[in-house]
Amino acid sequence: MSTTVHPDNDALIVVDVQNDFCPGGALAVPEGDAVVPVINRLLDLPWKTAIATRDWHPAGHVSFADQGGPWPPHCVQATRGAELHPGLRAERIAHIVSKAATANAEAYSGFHGTTLAEYLHTLGVRRVFVTGLATDYCVKATALDAKNGGFEVYVVVDAVRGVEASPGDVERALGEMSSAGVSFIASSSLHA
Ligand code: VGL
Ligand code: ZN
């Protein structure tokens, strides 16, 4: 399948490609940094807009193990771990959406507690192409919210990686997205 990017109504969403989710980071996703060259190529295409989300937690966030949460401390605001991966061509990203930025609430989706949906609708975006980390958490939640928000949603399969805390998590996440009407596409099928 071959899909042309429409400069009037297509948006690229880069989810949480941050140092802490890459090898060496506090919550490293296996091969997390492998998405960077794939996303960089996609950033060359003529999107209406390309946006990045970032996990942006205060110290003592409810998701951290020292607060009884499931994760080691990660993506603490204004630390190196919270920065976008330095290899990402960030100059091509029009807008960065920070999420899960209050201590007592978790938010996996880039749409949760943000103005992302309004931003995209105002620009006339109809289709969103989702990339980044992690397939079984923030990519899944972002893709499902995008679908619920009225967008046509594609996950770029070679531009995402998962945590896979339990075997099968990524497969299940893909199944949930598929059941919700999310489509899957290879980056090589996307062109100008
Ligand atoms: C994420 C776990 C905790 C993600 C964020 O970006 O998928 N996963 N916080
Ligand atoms: Zn987090």
Side-chain angles (χ1 to χ4, degrees):
M1 192 185 66
S2 181
T3 297
T4 303
V5 171
H6 294 292
D8 292 338
N9 43 46
D10 290 346
L12 184 70
I13 300 183
V14 180
V15 176
D16 296 5
V17 180
Q18 292 165 275
N19 289 322
D20 271 345
F21 295 125
C22 291
L27 180 39
V29 174
E31 301 179 350
D33 56 345
V35 304
V36 171
V38 182
I39 292 169
N40 281 344
R41 192 195 74 80
L42 292 174
L43 283 168
D44 262 341
L45 297 173
W47 306 102
K48 176 71 185 182
T49 187
I51 76 101
T53 68
R54 62 181 180 185
D55 215 25
W56 195 246
H57 299 315
H61 188 253
V62 64
S63 76
F64 295 172
D66 53 8
Q67 307 295 319
W71 308 113
H74 62 279
C75 298
V76 174
Q77 294 171 11
T79 63
R80 212 191 95 72
E83 289 172 15
L84 296 182
H85 186 286
L88 205 58
R89 289 157 71 199
E91 74 279 3
R92 294 184 180 254
I93 293 169
H95 189 58
I96 295 178
V97 174
S98 302
K99 64 180 171 60
T102 55
N104 56 3
E106 178 61 302
Y108 287 137
S109 163
F111 291 92
H112 188 161
T114 72
T115 56
L116 180 55
E118 294 89 319
Y119 172 78
L120 294 173
H121 282 306
T122 299
L123 285 174
V125 169
R126 291 206 297 268
R127 301 197 299 183
V128 300
F129 293 78
V130 182
T131 65
L133 308 171
T135 314
D136 35 359
Y137 292 93
C138 291
V139 167
K140 178 182 86 170
T142 300
L144 293 176
D145 268 2
K147 182 72 192 170
N148 282 328
F151 299 99
E152 207 178 308
V153 184
Y154 295 80
V155 167
V156 184
V157 288
D158 52 325
V160 296
R161 290 293 187 282
V163 177
E164 190 85 345
S166 304
D169 279 358
V170 167
E171 208 50 47
R172 275 187 291 276
L174 297 174
E176 275 180 64
M177 290 188 270
S178 177
S179 301
V182 170
S183 302
F184 301 96
I185 189 170
S187 66
S188 57
S189 322
L190 277 167
H191 56 83

